[in-house]
Amino acid sequence: DSTVRWIDHLRYVFRGNTQKNLKSLEQAGSLEFKDVPLSSVDFHCSSVVDALLGEREMKRRMWSCLAQQGPHKADCASPIDEEALSERIRRCIWLFRSSTNKKAPFQGATTQPPALEIQDERQELSGLWTLISRSVERYSYGVLCQKLQ
């Protein structure tokens, strides 16, 4: 049972903690869908980029979107260079999803706004993200449904 292995791992990691804390972990139950953020399914651990590239119409729309904007448009001017498109997709997923932190600052700490170059890149890729974001969410939802059955 994967739940038992997870609790055993937590016991090992947090050894030395009080028995009370371990008891509350056991009472927490197994991992549920609502416990896992969709953004945890990204290009590092899934085939989301390949899935997007495999959708013919979506691929055409991504090429079109990138050909119209930003300093990278020359890289994507021809559908021959699929690696350039792949890289833009990965950057979108990272900039708009995987690297975002929606947690409140811990004990009065403050957060810093993203560096100007990151802000510029987000601006440049915002159209592509708008285009692919729903597909990325659907893909992630499907992966989590499959893994947490």
Side-chain angles (χ1 to χ4, degrees):
D1 182 0
S2 63
T3 304
V4 174
R5 285 182 276 151
W6 178 245
I7 288 174
D8 289 342
H9 174 71
L10 289 175
R11 279 189 178 126
Y12 174 77
V13 170
F14 295 105
R15 63 191 175 279
N17 279 353
T18 66
Q19 198 60 23
K20 178 184 169 190
N21 289 343
L22 291 176
K23 217 32 166 170
S24 66
L25 279 176
E26 290 170 350
Q27 293 170 349
S30 60
L31 194 61
E32 297 179 19
F33 191 88
K34 66 180 170 78
D35 299 321
V36 183
L38 286 177
S39 62
S40 67
V41 179
D42 71 2
F43 58 89
H44 292 102
C45 62
S46 76
S47 301
V48 64
V49 174
D50 291 335
L52 287 169
L53 291 171
E55 296 177 29
R56 189 176 187 166
E57 179 58 20
M58 174 62 84
K59 191 174 179 179
R60 186 195 64 72
R61 292 171 63 202
M62 288 187 290
W63 280 117
S64 177
C65 178
L66 285 172
Q68 297 173 21
Q69 62 189 137
H72 298 292
K73 63 184 175 187
D75 296 346
C76 298
S78 165
I80 295 168
D81 189 2
E82 201 163 284
E83 187 53 39
L85 180 55
S86 262
E87 179 56 28
R88 299 307 177 280
I89 294 168
R90 287 191 292 275
R91 286 304 294 164
C92 275
I93 292 171
W94 179 253
L95 290 170
F96 293 98
R97 194 167 185 256
S98 300
S99 72
T100 61
N101 181 355
K102 297 177 181 164
K103 295 178 227 157
F106 182 68
Q107 295 182 352
T110 58
T111 58
Q112 299 295 319
L116 287 177
E117 33 312 327
I118 298 296
Q119 292 177 29
D120 290 346
E121 190 176 11
R122 285 178 66 116
Q123 178 68 32
E124 174 192 328
L125 293 172
S126 64
L128 181 60
W129 178 244
T130 299
L131 178 63
I132 68 171
S133 61
R134 284 186 130 152
S135 294
V136 172
E137 291 294 303
R138 276 194 306 275
Y139 180 89
S140 299
Y141 183 84
V143 167
L144 288 180
C145 284
Q146 181 183 13
K147 298 285 184 189
L148 296 175
Q149 283 182 355

